[in-house]
Amino acid sequence: MKSEVEQKIDKIARGILDDVKSYTAPVLLTPVRSLSNVEFNKIDGYFKIKDSVKKRTLTASTIKTFAQTLRMMALSKDLVKSEDTATKREAYYVSKNWGDARFSEQPESDAVMDDIEAMLGVNREQMGFIPGEHGGSVAGALTVIDEDFETKSELKIDCTKFGSGAYSIPSSVEHLKFETKAKFILAIETQGAFERLNKHKYWQKSNSILIAMSGVPTRACRRFIRKLSDEKKLPVYVFTDGDPYGYGNIYRTLKVGSGNAAHINQYFCVPQAIFLGVTPGDIDAYDLPTHPLKDIDLKKIKDMLKNDPFIKEHKEWQKALQKMAKSKVRVEQQAFAAHGLNMVIDKYLPEKIKNQKSWLP
Amino acid sequence: MKSEVEQKIDKIARGILDDVKSYTAPVLLTPVRSLSNVEFNKIDGYFKIKDSVKKRTLTASTIKTFAQTLRMMALSKDLVKSEDTATKREAYYVSKNWGDARFSEQPESDAVMDDIEAMLGVNREQMGFIPGEHGGSVAGALTVIDEDFETKSELKIDCTKFGSGAYSIPSSVEHLKFETKAKFILAIETQGAFERLNKHKYWQKSNSILIAMSGVPTRACRRFIRKLSDEKKLPVYVFTDGDPYGYGNIYRTLKVGSGNAAHINQYFCVPQAIFLGVTPGDIDAYDLPTHPLKDIDLKKIKDMLKNDPFIKEHKEWQKALQKMAKSKVRVEQQAFAAHGLNMVIDKYLPEKIKNQKSWLP
């Protein structure tokens, strides 16, 4: 049976073939990908793409992009059929054998890939294209079910069994299944904080799944958290540094996505995510050492308050950011070490998880 | 029984106590850490630290650093004793409770940590201090033996069982043991190339262990490769992009270490590493698409030829770099995709591994 992606590609290709046969100029329709064609959807909780469509008719001036789009769709179909994958970079190199339709720079092939992604209403990974980046580390009460690419036999990966190490999330996670009795997912900004919690088996004490995002989460990491949370009905608690970057880049991207990739936010955002800490309020509550905010941080806070549709939706975030701007300090995840290396495990996380009033939406 | 680190710390501390008791000004001796105190050791194959020593006597002007050094040593002893770890960042925060001996910026605490590391002749991980960074991904014919931090029971981690995922190397690897029948380790620059080889089980076809370095390898990644190669007598083949960064930063750092951390190169370098590709010679041999070198690349090649003691030691590298400078092009790992996505698995790697003449030292 053909996959959804194959069927969609076939349908578009057949339409173009019919146009050509009946001497009609073929047309490709692509949703417009920009902030002007996006809305913050309160019900679903993420940036959604609106109805504007870019119409590309085959003419002398569009012929190259037109051909590139069709060849990229053909490559995607081949990948999906053979269950293989290619990085965006590899797809660019494959085009070097397309004669005049070859791309001269990767941003060109990436843009065509984004257009097809939006056109088909699927995500790039479903098309067989994977990002070339590490997807995050996982430890705790979770069994990941993967399969052997060649024998198709089932592989059960028990994430409680890796000692000080962890399970490294692959670039594409669509094929993974999960077994878990955990009560929640804890998404952690830094590798360092993750390793401390993993070493002391915080996941066992709290019956949870730990995921290190290592900065702004990659697509694979976001998709993994979303899929796991959806399929196993698990809440997602987010634990980052208490600074504009942790709030506005890491948490915001994880929860509602970003503007320029709105057509795929439906797959990659985690609207059920809740911000556990470190909040500006935690600084006093836990007597944490701080660092002064730089001008650029203060500017970022101002921008967020003024322009970010997600922040504008939530009074609690506005208050938290105003408090931070007023106090002019930021705080890090690792600051708890000032009161003993394991305070974060023994006191902070258990208290915060109980005290839902201290969370941010 | 006390560990080596505990014994060394005790010895220094006792010396200072004796000095104080006998009204002598206590002294700390630290090897000088700079390129001027380094030599490229041809026999061992890495940058070695020479004999210059910095003498720090306790006086009114050195009292703060002196106290900080002692407290940092005490923290290290506590960590080693309790088998716990702290990131460099956490160690900095712990100092916030040291009264006047607190550090005001992390670079200060890092420098003290480096001094102690050099003074004790051990590596920072042995002292209980871990880097806060991801250590690389592993897949293939390897079982990692770790232990449960709490129960001390043995954990066997079979790196053939991660499907499209991988084993994520922890920040500290000193306690790990290995079981393997693999013939070699393949250290790979990009996550993308690693995932392709892993997905198609190249490690099974070639009976090898794949390690993704994701750029310049972290300390944990370098130490993991070194320890695994030493203990299991495995050759290490390195596969990076064919550009000055791949040669001069990734491969050179992995193989011989760096100048400013010479006191720990003995633990972190992999002198047995061999450069498999992509070499400038491969561009013609495999008809690979290239990119023009930038001025900064050409400048880097010049610098390497003129100043890098490792390059100056090896005619083959000089020739390769001169060839690259002349052709003014670089090539990427993923460029093989131009001739079919699996060419790298089916043709390039098998041929290169057979043809040792095409390697670089």
Side-chain angles (χ1 to χ4, degrees):
Chain A
M1 214 198 72
K2 278 183 187 171
S3 72
E4 185 197 345
V5 172
E6 281 179 276
Q7 287 174 25
K8 285 182 169 177
I9 292 175
D10 275 358
K11 199 180 153 197
I12 293 170
R14 264 175 225 291
I16 289 172
L17 184 65
D18 290 344
D19 285 344
V20 171
K21 279 185 181 166
S22 62
Y23 300 97
T24 316
V27 171
L28 287 170
L29 297 176
T30 318
V32 172
R33 296 180 293 105
S34 84
L35 266 179
S36 64
N37 194 31
V38 156
E39 63 184 356
F40 179 67
N41 185 296
K42 288 185 205 179
I43 296 156
D44 290 334
Y46 58 87
F47 289 156
K48 276 200 167 177
I49 200 154
K50 293 196 290 188
D51 290 334
S52 301
V53 163
K54 189 170 64 186
K55 190 173 159 183
R56 186 177 287 144
T57 308
L58 177 56
T59 64
S61 69
T62 64
I63 190 162
K64 188 170 170 185
T65 325
F66 210 95
Q68 287 172 328
T69 308
L70 294 184
R71 294 218 64 153
M72 189 67 95
M73 283 166 61
L75 173 60
S76 166
K77 197 183 156 186
D78 284 347
L79 288 172
V80 173
K81 226 172 167 174
S82 60
E83 291 181 47
D84 203 352
T85 49
T87 61
K88 292 164 74 180
R89 192 73 183 152
E90 284 174 327
Y92 160 71
Y93 276 116
V94 167
S95 85
K96 293 295 181 188
N97 267 340
W98 293 352
D100 289 340
R102 84 171 69 83
F103 295 104
S104 50
E105 299 288 344
Q106 196 191 328
E108 296 171 19
S109 60
D110 287 355
V112 167
M113 209 179 272
D114 287 348
D115 277 347
I116 300 176
E117 191 174 48
M119 190 160 53
L120 302 183
V122 299
N123 65 61
R124 200 196 298 147
E125 287 77 1
Q126 291 172 303
M127 289 159 54
F129 299 118
I130 60 171
E133 51 196 7
H134 176 253
S137 301
V138 182
L142 171 69
T143 297
V144 177
I145 301 168
D146 198 343
E147 62 167 31
D148 186 302
F149 179 63
E150 284 172 346
T151 65
K152 305 295 170 202
S153 60
E154 189 178 88
L155 284 167
K156 286 199 170 196
I157 301 157
D158 180 349
C159 298
T160 65
K161 302 283 189 210
F162 300 133
S164 49
Y167 168 68
S168 178
I169 301 175
S171 300
S172 178
V173 303
E174 297 303 331
H175 60 294
L176 300 179
K177 296 190 190 82
F178 308 108
E179 280 173 8
T180 183
K181 289 183 176 165
K183 286 200 203 131
F184 62 91
I185 298 166
L186 187 66
I188 303 157
E189 172 175 345
T190 63
Q191 188 73 19
F194 169 83
E195 293 215 4
R196 163 154 307 277
L197 297 181
N198 184 26
K199 172 155 196 164
H200 291 269
K201 295 210 279 186
Y202 174 71
W203 48 264
Q204 190 172 64
K205 294 180 183 78
S206 60
N207 193 14
S208 64
I209 300 163
L210 310 179
I211 302 184
M213 299 185 285
S214 301
V216 175
T218 59
R219 288 166 63 110
C221 185
R222 289 153 62 195
R223 182 78 187 124
F224 185 90
I225 295 173
R226 165 70 182 277
K227 203 170 135 82
L228 174 58
S229 169
D230 277 2
E231 290 177 12
K232 296 299 163 185
K233 309 268 174 286
L234 291 175
V236 177
Y237 306 151
V238 183
F239 181 29
T240 73
D241 286 341
D243 58 27
Y245 188 77
Y247 304 156
N249 295 59
I250 296 174
Y251 177 66
R252 214 283 310 262
T253 302
L254 179 71
K255 185 170 173 120
V256 301
S258 56
N260 61 0
H263 60 292
I264 47 116
N265 282 342
Q266 57 173 311
Y267 301 105
F268 291 96
C269 67
V270 186
Q272 60 267 54
I274 289 290
F275 193 80
L276 182 136
V278 186
T279 65
D282 291 337
I283 296 175
D284 292 337
Y286 293 91
D287 186 23
L288 299 174
T290 58
H291 297 269
L293 286 178
K294 292 186 184 138
D295 288 345
I296 195 170
D297 296 323
L298 290 164
K299 195 172 160 293
K300 186 167 169 61
I301 292 176
K302 242 189 203 166
D303 278 356
M304 284 162 73
L305 287 167
K306 197 176 157 202
N307 300 318
D308 190 311
F310 172 71
I311 301 295
K312 285 160 83 175
E313 195 62 32
H314 292 294
K315 278 240 167 68
E316 297 94 325
W317 271 113
Q318 291 159 30
K319 270 189 203 161
L321 288 170
Q322 275 151 1
K323 185 181 166 74
M324 174 166 273
K326 208 177 154 195
S327 71
K328 289 197 167 52
V329 293
R330 62 183 177 86
V331 59
E332 298 181 2
Q333 286 193 296
Q334 309 200 321
F336 297 97
H339 302 295
L341 281 167
N342 286 322
M343 188 228 194
V344 65
I345 293 172
D346 299 334
K347 187 171 157 69
Y348 178 71
L349 287 174
E351 284 184 6
K352 288 289 284 193
I353 286 169
K354 260 188 218 153
N355 181 12
Q356 306 203 2
K357 275 187 198 161
S358 70
W359 299 352
L360 287 170
Chain B
M1 214 198 70
K2 280 183 185 171
S3 71
E4 185 198 345
V5 172
E6 281 179 275
Q7 287 175 26
K8 285 182 170 177
I9 292 174
D10 275 359
K11 200 181 152 195
I12 293 171
R14 264 174 223 294
I16 289 171
L17 184 66
D18 290 346
D19 285 345
V20 171
K21 281 184 178 165
S22 62
Y23 301 97
T24 316
V27 171
L28 286 170
L29 298 176
T30 318
V32 172
R33 294 180 294 104
S34 82
L35 266 179
S36 64
N37 194 30
V38 156
E39 63 183 355
F40 179 67
N41 185 295
K42 289 185 206 179
I43 295 153
D44 290 334
Y46 59 87
F47 289 156
K48 276 200 164 175
I49 201 155
K50 292 196 293 188
D51 291 334
S52 302
V53 163
K54 188 170 65 186
K55 191 173 159 181
R56 184 177 287 145
T57 308
L58 179 56
T59 64
S61 69
T62 64
I63 191 161
K64 187 170 170 186
T65 325
F66 210 94
Q68 288 171 327
T69 308
L70 294 183
R71 293 216 67 152
M72 189 65 94
M73 282 166 60
L75 173 60
S76 165
K77 197 182 156 184
D78 284 347
L79 288 173
V80 173
K81 227 172 166 173
S82 59
E83 292 181 46
D84 203 351
T85 49
T87 61
K88 294 163 72 179
R89 191 74 183 153
E90 283 174 328
Y92 160 72
Y93 277 116
V94 167
S95 84
K96 294 293 180 191
N97 268 340
W98 293 351
D100 288 340
R102 84 170 71 83
F103 296 103
S104 51
E105 298 287 344
Q106 195 191 329
E108 296 171 18
S109 59
D110 287 354
V112 167
M113 208 179 272
D114 286 347
D115 277 347
I116 300 175
E117 190 174 49
M119 189 159 55
L120 302 183
V122 299
N123 66 60
R124 198 196 300 148
E125 286 78 1
Q126 290 172 305
M127 288 159 56
F129 298 119
I130 60 172
E133 53 195 9
H134 176 253
S137 302
V138 182
L142 171 70
T143 297
V144 177
I145 300 168
D146 199 343
E147 62 167 33
D148 186 301
F149 179 64
E150 285 171 345
T151 66
K152 305 296 172 203
S153 60
E154 188 179 87
L155 285 167
K156 287 200 170 194
I157 302 156
D158 180 347
C159 297
T160 66
K161 303 283 190 211
F162 284 89
S164 49
Y167 169 68
S168 177
I169 301 174
S171 299
S172 178
V173 303
E174 297 303 332
H175 61 294
L176 300 179
K177 296 191 192 82
F178 308 107
E179 280 172 8
T180 182
K181 289 183 176 166
K183 285 199 202 134
F184 62 91
I185 298 166
L186 187 66
I188 302 157
E189 173 174 344
T190 63
Q191 188 75 17
F194 169 84
E195 292 215 5
R196 163 155 305 275
L197 298 182
N198 184 27
K199 173 154 194 164
H200 291 270
K201 295 209 280 185
Y202 174 72
W203 48 264
Q204 192 174 62
K205 294 179 184 79
S206 60
N207 193 15
S208 64
I209 300 162
L210 309 180
I211 302 183
M213 300 185 285
S214 300
V216 175
T218 59
R219 288 165 64 109
C221 186
R222 289 153 63 195
R223 183 76 187 125
F224 185 90
I225 294 174
R226 165 68 181 278
K227 203 170 137 79
L228 174 58
S229 169
D230 277 3
E231 290 177 13
K232 295 299 163 183
K233 309 271 175 286
L234 291 175
V236 177
Y237 306 150
V238 184
F239 180 30
T240 73
D241 286 342
D243 58 28
Y245 189 76
Y247 303 155
N249 294 59
I250 297 175
Y251 176 67
R252 215 282 313 263
T253 303
L254 178 71
K255 183 170 175 121
V256 301
S258 57
N260 62 358
H263 61 291
I264 47 114
N265 282 341
Q266 57 173 310
Y267 300 105
F268 291 96
C269 67
V270 186
Q272 61 267 53
I274 289 290
F275 192 79
L276 181 135
V278 187
T279 66
D282 290 337
I283 296 175
D284 292 338
Y286 292 91
D287 186 23
L288 300 174
T290 59
H291 296 270
L293 286 177
K294 291 185 185 139
D295 288 346
I296 196 171
D297 295 322
L298 290 164
K299 194 172 160 294
K300 186 167 169 61
I301 291 177
K302 243 189 199 164
D303 278 356
M304 284 163 73
L305 287 166
K306 196 174 157 200
N307 300 319
D308 191 312
F310 172 70
I311 300 295
K312 284 160 84 176
E313 195 62 32
H314 292 293
K315 279 240 165 68
E316 297 93 325
W317 271 113
Q318 291 160 31
K319 270 189 204 164
L321 288 169
Q322 276 152 358
K323 185 180 166 73
M324 175 167 272
K326 209 177 151 194
S327 70
K328 291 196 166 52
V329 292
R330 63 184 177 84
V331 60
E332 299 182 0
Q333 289 193 294
Q334 308 200 322
F336 297 98
H339 301 296
L341 282 167
N342 285 322
M343 189 229 194
V344 65
I345 293 172
D346 298 334
K347 186 172 158 68
Y348 178 72
L349 288 174
E351 283 184 6
K352 288 289 284 193
I353 286 169
K354 262 189 216 153
N355 181 14
Q356 306 203 1
K357 275 187 197 160
S358 71
W359 299 352
L360 287 170

